Amino acid sequence: MTSLPTLAPPLSRLVGLLPKPPASVALTLLARRIAARHPEIVSRLGTHVNASFALDPTDLPVVMILTLPAGEPRIRLQKDASGADCRISGNLSALLALVHGAVDGDALFFSRDLVIAGDTAAALALRNAIDNAELDLLEEIQHVAPPLGRALAPIAAAIERQTGVALRRASGVY
């Protein structure tokens, strides 16, 4: 395993207290905005567009279930990965590093920092689609809610410096 940081237990418990329905709506809106800005993500899923994906940050008490009915992303927070076709699990920093291209996805898998269960082909299709889109989640938030994005930028930079967690797209790959 690599030395990716994990979320502190008090912060993890705090996340667990967030009401799931409003958080699910906010994540769904962000996911739809990302899909609108990067339609190739949905098209690259190909035959796996109807799969359900459990994104499981193991250092948080919630699992994000991503579905794409009619190509429209929907994220539902729940306690476990039940009902999903595939599960991608690892600590939050590993999942964010994958999204932001800060660490090679294959290296995360072979080091067991990420674990894939269920429909592996669907999980790899999602990983490849996200990797190809070269996402920067803070940039995406900036497009959805510019004031929030501007407010988060210096906070995110400080967190990155202190923890090593990739909260923005890596400038150089790996």
Side-chain angles (χ1 to χ4, degrees):
M1 291 193 152
T2 61
S3 59
L4 293 168
T6 58
L7 207 57
L11 189 53
S12 178
R13 283 191 293 278
L14 182 64
V15 169
L17 295 174
L18 292 173
K20 289 178 183 56
S24 296
V25 169
L27 289 170
T28 294
L29 291 173
L30 178 61
R32 287 183 178 172
R33 181 67 174 163
I34 290 170
R37 285 177 37 85
H38 303 277
E40 70 277 8
I41 293 174
V42 175
S43 65
R44 281 189 61 116
L45 288 174
T47 60
H48 303 290
V49 72
N50 294 315
S52 57
F53 304 88
L55 309 173
D56 183 3
T58 55
D59 48 353
L60 288 177
V62 295
V63 175
M64 294 169 275
I65 305 297
L66 169 66
T67 56
L68 295 109
E72 284 282 316
R74 179 175 181 245
I75 296 177
R76 180 179 75 256
L77 296 182
Q78 59 187 50
K79 290 195 296 189
D80 57 35
S82 62
D85 296 314
C86 65
R87 178 176 164 248
I88 304 168
S89 63
N91 66 36
L92 182 62
S93 63
L95 294 169
L96 289 171
L98 179 67
V99 168
H100 290 126
V103 179
D104 176 51
D106 292 334
L108 288 170
F109 175 75
F110 287 116
S111 67
R112 304 291 288 162
D113 285 305
L114 284 182
V115 176
I116 298 172
D119 187 345
T120 304
L124 290 176
L126 179 64
R127 183 204 84 137
N128 290 339
I130 289 172
D131 192 45
N132 185 62
E134 298 186 353
L135 295 177
D136 181 322
L137 293 178
L138 282 178
E139 183 178 308
E140 299 302 331
I141 291 169
Q142 174 75 31
H143 285 279
V144 173
L148 178 61
R150 284 191 299 276
L152 288 176
I155 296 167
I159 291 171
E160 282 181 319
R161 282 192 305 277
Q162 293 296 315
T163 66
V165 175
L167 296 176
R168 296 204 58 115
R169 182 82 190 159
S171 56
V173 177
Y174 321 131

